Amino acid sequence: MLKSLTKLDYLLKETLLGLMRGGWMNWAAVSTVTVLLFLFGLSLQTSWQVEKLLYQFGSQLEVSVYLEPDTQMESIEPLIAKMSEVAAIQTITKEEAWTKLVKEMRISDIEGTTQQLGENPLVDEMKVKARNSEVVPNLATQLAKLPGVETVQYVDEAVKRIAQLHQGLNWITLTITIILTLTAIAVTTTTIRLIVTARRQEIEIMQLVGATSAWIYLPFILQGIAFGLVGGAIAWSFISIIQQFLGKLLVNQPEFIQVITNRVQLTPAEILLLPLILLSFGAAVGLMGSLFAVRRFAKG
């Protein structure tokens, strides 16, 4: 037991000594890993939030029907009610929609704003709820054919657009992550090699007294892992600061923006998982970089 503690104490001291001697080289490795993990963490968090948004939209069964300016809702509503796919209908006059929009924009003078525009720019709307998600596309097609209907919109279109955006972001994230990961490994490898070269005389003395290669180079491998862990911690700190800033910023935003924001909030499990992923990813990058660095020296 005492022997194991002695070995652990030696490894920790050697690792700490190497970190202290590294100077600007250590900072170069840590900062590179930090940038990698910061961008990766933001991208991962955004991906989770977009997935939540897709789920929220995908669970909706509502079709919005916008009428032509001269069309009366009373003439359209009975036609819609007869459709077998329809579960419920909600009518929203253009006056109600305009009042709600102006309030959400935090404009107190509704009449003055309307006069400036000349007239209410909105049209009457009917929200039609389908019986299930499978009939939504067919229902939307039937509604669009009704006389007096100007536009029909339903969340399937929004889902497709968000899904395309999500896929595009994933490809961009993957490309950037691969490039930065290779860069971080290369910088870590170079840093560890410089540290090993600077301590070459000490290493030769240890080899003369019979120390094994694993025992000699393990502290350098631990240094690489330390670079990754420190980079992950710093990246998570920056992400947390940005989250707090955005949280304060969104408090004063319109209600509909706050509703969307609340729907895409991370769960407690995701909040805990994100730093663990960043630290693990950082440690893996540091480990790979340090292994590449000491492999040539260990063989020599």
Side-chain angles (χ1 to χ4, degrees):
M1 182 68 179
L2 181 61
K3 187 177 181 180
S4 299
L5 291 175
T6 303
K7 290 182 177 180
L8 179 61
D9 181 65
Y10 166 78
L11 290 175
L12 293 176
K13 285 183 178 180
E14 287 296 309
T15 302
L16 182 61
L17 182 62
L19 292 173
M20 295 175 62
R21 288 181 176 179
W24 67 268
M25 295 183 296
N26 289 351
W27 170 245
V30 171
S31 59
T32 305
V33 175
T34 299
V35 172
L36 161 65
L37 297 179
F38 175 72
L39 295 177
F40 174 75
L42 282 182
S43 301
L44 182 60
Q45 179 176 292
T46 302
S47 178
W48 287 345
Q49 291 173 326
V50 172
E51 286 179 358
K52 290 178 183 292
L53 195 59
L54 282 171
Y55 176 79
Q56 292 290 339
F57 280 155
S59 64
Q60 300 297 319
L61 303 174
E62 201 170 70
V63 179
S64 295
V65 180
Y66 298 95
L67 307 181
E68 294 177 351
D70 298 330
T71 303
Q72 299 295 322
M73 286 191 292
E74 292 77 7
S75 63
I76 300 294
E77 188 172 359
L79 299 177
I80 298 177
K82 292 179 181 179
M83 297 181 180
S84 59
E85 298 91 344
V86 175
I89 302 174
Q90 178 187 0
T91 58
I92 302 174
T93 64
K94 61 181 182 180
E95 290 77 15
E96 293 172 342
W98 177 244
T99 301
K100 182 180 179 181
L101 177 63
V102 171
K103 286 183 178 180
E104 288 177 346
M105 297 177 65
R106 299 184 179 275
I107 300 175
S108 56
D109 186 7
I110 299 176
E111 294 183 0
T113 304
T114 306
Q115 290 177 358
Q116 289 179 2
L117 294 174
E119 61 179 357
N120 185 343
L122 303 181
V123 296
D124 293 334
E125 176 187 0
M126 302 181 70
K127 292 186 178 295
V128 181
K129 187 172 183 180
R131 294 191 181 278
N132 56 69
S133 58
E134 287 77 13
V135 303
V136 171
N138 183 52
L139 175 61
T141 302
Q142 294 184 51
L143 292 171
K145 295 178 180 179
L146 293 176
V149 174
E150 182 178 17
T151 308
V152 173
Q153 293 182 352
Y154 61 104
V155 293
D156 184 62
E157 298 178 6
V159 168
K160 288 181 179 178
R161 293 183 180 274
I162 296 176
Q164 291 173 354
L165 175 63
H166 186 219
Q167 186 177 13
L169 288 175
N170 285 342
W171 278 109
I172 293 173
T173 299
L174 179 62
T175 303
I176 294 176
T177 300
I178 291 174
I179 294 173
L180 289 179
T181 298
L182 294 176
T183 303
I185 291 175
V187 173
T188 302
T189 300
T190 303
T191 301
I192 297 297
R193 280 180 179 174
L194 290 173
I195 295 174
V196 172
T197 302
R199 300 183 61 185
R200 191 63 181 172
Q201 187 175 2
E202 297 178 28
I203 293 174
E204 290 176 352
I205 294 174
M206 294 182 67
Q207 289 174 334
L208 291 173
V209 298
T212 63
S213 296
W215 184 252
I216 294 172
Y217 292 108
L218 186 56
F220 299 108
I221 294 175
L222 294 178
Q223 287 178 45
I225 296 175
F227 293 157
L229 292 175
V230 173
I234 296 175
W236 170 240
S237 300
F238 287 157
I239 293 174
S240 299
I241 292 173
I242 291 176
Q243 287 176 337
Q244 294 176 6
F245 173 76
L246 292 177
K248 293 179 180 179
L249 188 65
L250 291 171
V251 171
N252 299 321
Q253 297 303 312
E255 183 179 354
F256 72 95
I257 294 180
Q258 294 186 31
V259 170
I260 294 176
T261 303
N262 291 333
R263 288 181 177 180
V264 298
Q265 290 292 329
L266 299 182
T267 64
E270 290 171 336
I271 294 175
L272 178 62
L273 184 61
L274 185 58
L276 293 178
I277 291 175
L278 294 180
L279 292 174
S280 300
F281 190 12
V285 169
L287 175 62
M288 292 177 65
S290 58
L291 286 175
F292 287 142
V294 304
R295 183 180 58 178
R296 181 168 62 88
F297 293 103
K299 288 182 178 179

